[in-house]
mmCIF file of all heavy atoms in Angstrom:
data_model
loop_
_atom_site.group_PDB
_atom_site.id
_atom_site.type_symbol
_atom_site.label_atom_id
_atom_site.label_comp_id
_atom_site.label_asym_id
_atom_site.label_seq_id
_atom_site.Cartn_x
_atom_site.Cartn_y
_atom_site.Cartn_z
ATOM 1 N N TRP A 1091 37.226 38.228 -59.208
ATOM 2 C CA TRP A 1091 37.781 38.508 -57.868
ATOM 3 C C TRP A 1091 36.578 38.511 -56.891
ATOM 4 O O TRP A 1091 36.725 38.016 -55.775
ATOM 5 C CB TRP A 1091 38.549 39.581 -57.848
ATOM 6 C CG TRP A 1091 39.240 39.988 -56.498
ATOM 7 C CD1 TRP A 1091 40.331 39.363 -56.044
ATOM 8 C CD2 TRP A 1091 38.785 40.812 -55.509
ATOM 9 N NE1 TRP A 1091 40.698 39.710 -54.762
ATOM 10 C CE2 TRP A 1091 39.704 40.750 -54.431
ATOM 11 C CE3 TRP A 1091 37.738 41.790 -55.438
ATOM 12 C CZ2 TRP A 1091 39.598 41.523 -53.346
ATOM 13 C CZ3 TRP A 1091 37.692 42.537 -54.259
ATOM 14 C CH2 TRP A 1091 38.549 42.317 -53.244
ATOM 15 N N LEU A 1092 35.632 39.316 -57.286
ATOM 16 C CA LEU A 1092 34.361 39.416 -56.275
ATOM 17 C C LEU A 1092 33.640 38.102 -56.111
ATOM 18 O O LEU A 1092 33.239 37.788 -54.927
ATOM 19 C CB LEU A 1092 33.417 40.497 -56.808
ATOM 20 C CG LEU A 1092 33.904 42.021 -56.834
ATOM 21 C CD1 LEU A 1092 32.923 42.820 -57.553
ATOM 22 C CD2 LEU A 1092 34.164 42.497 -55.409
ATOM 23 N N ALA A 1093 33.568 37.297 -57.285
ATOM 24 C CA ALA A 1093 32.981 36.025 -57.031
ATOM 25 C C ALA A 1093 33.719 35.119 -56.179
ATOM 26 O O ALA A 1093 33.361 34.306 -55.432
ATOM 27 C CB ALA A 1093 32.898 35.242 -58.460
ATOM 28 N N ILE A 1094 35.055 35.161 -56.315
ATOM 29 C CA ILE A 1094 35.914 34.305 -55.598
ATOM 30 C C ILE A 1094 35.922 34.680 -54.082
ATOM 31 O O ILE A 1094 35.807 33.896 -53.206
ATOM 32 C CB ILE A 1094 37.397 34.395 -56.035
ATOM 33 C CG1 ILE A 1094 37.604 33.775 -57.433
ATOM 34 C CG2 ILE A 1094 38.394 33.745 -55.101
ATOM 35 C CD1 ILE A 1094 38.892 33.934 -58.139
ATOM 36 N N GLN A 1095 35.772 36.018 -53.881
ATOM 37 C CA GLN A 1095 35.687 36.449 -52.537
ATOM 38 C C GLN A 1095 34.389 36.164 -51.751
ATOM 39 O O GLN A 1095 34.304 35.772 -50.667
ATOM 40 C CB GLN A 1095 35.893 38.078 -52.435
ATOM 41 C CG GLN A 1095 37.228 38.584 -52.676
ATOM 42 C CD GLN A 1095 38.388 38.108 -51.770
ATOM 43 O OE1 GLN A 1095 38.008 38.019 -50.570
ATOM 44 N NE2 GLN A 1095 39.606 37.831 -52.143
ATOM 45 N N GLY A 1096 33.329 36.249 -52.634
ATOM 46 C CA GLY A 1096 32.018 35.853 -52.037
ATOM 47 C C GLY A 1096 31.992 34.307 -51.882
ATOM 48 O O GLY A 1096 31.403 33.854 -50.886
ATOM 49 N N MET A 1097 32.649 33.538 -52.763
ATOM 50 C CA MET A 1097 32.641 32.134 -52.546
ATOM 51 C C MET A 1097 33.439 31.713 -51.297
ATOM 52 O O MET A 1097 33.010 30.900 -50.506
ATOM 53 C CB MET A 1097 33.306 31.354 -53.817
ATOM 54 C CG MET A 1097 33.231 29.844 -53.707
ATOM 55 S SD MET A 1097 31.658 29.250 -53.641
ATOM 56 C CE MET A 1097 31.139 29.775 -55.503
ATOM 57 N N ARG A 1098 34.599 32.394 -51.103
ATOM 58 C CA ARG A 1098 35.326 32.189 -49.904
ATOM 59 C C ARG A 1098 34.470 32.558 -48.603
ATOM 60 O O ARG A 1098 34.541 31.881 -47.610
ATOM 61 C CB ARG A 1098 36.596 33.006 -49.890
ATOM 62 C CG ARG A 1098 37.693 32.511 -50.898
ATOM 63 C CD ARG A 1098 38.928 33.423 -50.882
ATOM 64 N NE ARG A 1098 39.900 32.902 -51.902
ATOM 65 C CZ ARG A 1098 41.021 33.598 -52.109
ATOM 66 N NH1 ARG A 1098 41.348 34.793 -51.443
ATOM 67 N NH2 ARG A 1098 41.835 33.069 -53.037
ATOM 68 N N ARG A 1099 33.817 33.787 -48.716
ATOM 69 C CA ARG A 1099 32.960 34.058 -47.482
ATOM 70 C C ARG A 1099 31.842 33.098 -47.329
ATOM 71 O O ARG A 1099 31.565 32.701 -46.139
ATOM 72 C CB ARG A 1099 32.357 35.461 -47.826
ATOM 73 C CG ARG A 1099 33.353 36.597 -47.747
ATOM 74 C CD ARG A 1099 32.697 37.862 -48.198
ATOM 75 N NE ARG A 1099 33.625 39.010 -48.272
ATOM 76 C CZ ARG A 1099 33.423 40.198 -48.650
ATOM 77 N NH1 ARG A 1099 32.115 40.536 -49.102
ATOM 78 N NH2 ARG A 1099 34.360 41.114 -48.798
ATOM 79 N N MET A 1100 31.325 32.543 -48.367
ATOM 80 C CA MET A 1100 30.267 31.566 -48.287
ATOM 81 C C MET A 1100 30.758 30.330 -47.646
ATOM 82 O O MET A 1100 30.132 29.652 -46.792
ATOM 83 C CB MET A 1100 29.533 31.252 -49.539
ATOM 84 C CG MET A 1100 28.270 30.351 -49.623
ATOM 85 S SD MET A 1100 27.717 30.079 -51.261
ATOM 86 C CE MET A 1100 27.189 31.703 -51.684
ATOM 87 N N VAL A 1101 31.971 29.852 -48.176
ATOM 88 C CA VAL A 1101 32.547 28.687 -47.673
ATOM 89 C C VAL A 1101 32.975 28.789 -46.137
ATOM 90 O O VAL A 1101 32.753 27.918 -45.335
ATOM 91 C CB VAL A 1101 33.870 28.232 -48.534
ATOM 92 C CG1 VAL A 1101 34.563 27.208 -47.755
ATOM 93 C CG2 VAL A 1101 33.366 27.813 -49.759
ATOM 94 N N GLN A 1102 33.366 30.074 -45.899
ATOM 95 C CA GLN A 1102 33.704 30.396 -44.458
ATOM 96 C C GLN A 1102 32.498 30.394 -43.553
ATOM 97 O O GLN A 1102 32.573 29.811 -42.458
ATOM 98 C CB GLN A 1102 34.480 31.685 -44.356
ATOM 99 C CG GLN A 1102 35.018 32.072 -42.959
ATOM 100 C CD GLN A 1102 35.863 33.300 -43.109
ATOM 101 O OE1 GLN A 1102 35.994 34.090 -44.087
ATOM 102 N NE2 GLN A 1102 36.397 33.746 -41.798
ATOM 103 N N ARG A 1103 31.522 30.919 -44.067
ATOM 104 C CA ARG A 1103 30.177 30.919 -43.274
ATOM 105 C C ARG A 1103 29.712 29.461 -43.043
ATOM 106 O O ARG A 1103 29.238 29.172 -41.974
ATOM 107 C CB ARG A 1103 29.074 31.769 -43.965
ATOM 108 C CG ARG A 1103 29.411 33.262 -43.983
ATOM 109 C CD ARG A 1103 28.357 33.924 -44.789
ATOM 110 N NE ARG A 1103 28.650 35.399 -44.769
ATOM 111 C CZ ARG A 1103 27.828 36.293 -45.545
ATOM 112 N NH1 ARG A 1103 26.918 35.870 -46.228
ATOM 113 N NH2 ARG A 1103 28.190 37.540 -45.516
ATOM 114 N N GLU A 1104 29.695 28.618 -44.166
ATOM 115 C CA GLU A 1104 29.287 27.281 -44.029
ATOM 116 C C GLU A 1104 30.142 26.567 -43.009
ATOM 117 O O GLU A 1104 29.725 25.789 -42.141
ATOM 118 C CB GLU A 1104 29.328 26.569 -45.378
ATOM 119 C CG GLU A 1104 28.265 27.116 -46.332
ATOM 120 C CD GLU A 1104 28.309 26.332 -47.638
ATOM 121 O OE1 GLU A 1104 29.197 25.665 -47.846
ATOM 122 O OE2 GLU A 1104 27.437 26.558 -48.444
ATOM 123 N N ALA A 1105 31.513 26.907 -43.035
ATOM 124 C CA ALA A 1105 32.358 26.172 -42.108
ATOM 125 C C ALA A 1105 32.040 26.642 -40.697
ATOM 126 O O ALA A 1105 32.091 25.778 -39.732
ATOM 127 C CB ALA A 1105 33.784 26.427 -42.510
ATOM 128 N N GLU A 1106 31.823 27.932 -40.459
ATOM 129 C CA GLU A 1106 31.454 28.491 -39.143
ATOM 130 C C GLU A 1106 30.057 27.696 -38.653
ATOM 131 O O GLU A 1106 30.006 27.428 -37.506
ATOM 132 C CB GLU A 1106 31.401 29.904 -39.199
ATOM 133 C CG GLU A 1106 32.654 30.692 -39.294
ATOM 134 C CD GLU A 1106 32.521 32.129 -39.382
ATOM 135 O OE1 GLU A 1106 31.311 32.594 -39.391
ATOM 136 O OE2 GLU A 1106 33.540 32.827 -39.504
ATOM 137 N N MET A 1107 29.165 27.680 -39.647
ATOM 138 C CA MET A 1107 27.889 27.113 -39.257
ATOM 139 C C MET A 1107 28.060 25.639 -38.924
ATOM 140 O O MET A 1107 27.458 25.076 -37.921
ATOM 141 C CB MET A 1107 26.850 27.245 -40.367
ATOM 142 C CG MET A 1107 26.369 28.607 -40.663
ATOM 143 S SD MET A 1107 25.241 28.766 -41.995
ATOM 144 C CE MET A 1107 23.844 27.793 -41.357
ATOM 145 N N ILE A 1108 28.968 24.946 -39.613
ATOM 146 C CA ILE A 1108 29.184 23.510 -39.357
ATOM 147 C C ILE A 1108 29.833 23.355 -37.915
ATOM 148 O O ILE A 1108 29.525 22.454 -37.190
ATOM 149 C CB ILE A 1108 29.926 22.876 -40.504
ATOM 150 C CG1 ILE A 1108 29.159 22.849 -41.822
ATOM 151 C CG2 ILE A 1108 30.438 21.479 -40.132
ATOM 152 C CD1 ILE A 1108 29.944 22.353 -43.103
#
Side-chain angles (χ1 to χ4, degrees):
W1091 182 79
L1092 292 173
I1094 292 169
Q1095 292 295 326
M1097 185 64 68
R1098 288 178 180 175
R1099 291 174 185 174
M1100 188 180 296
V1101 171
Q1102 187 176 2
R1103 289 176 184 175
E1104 290 180 357
E1106 290 178 357
M1107 291 178 66
I1108 291 170

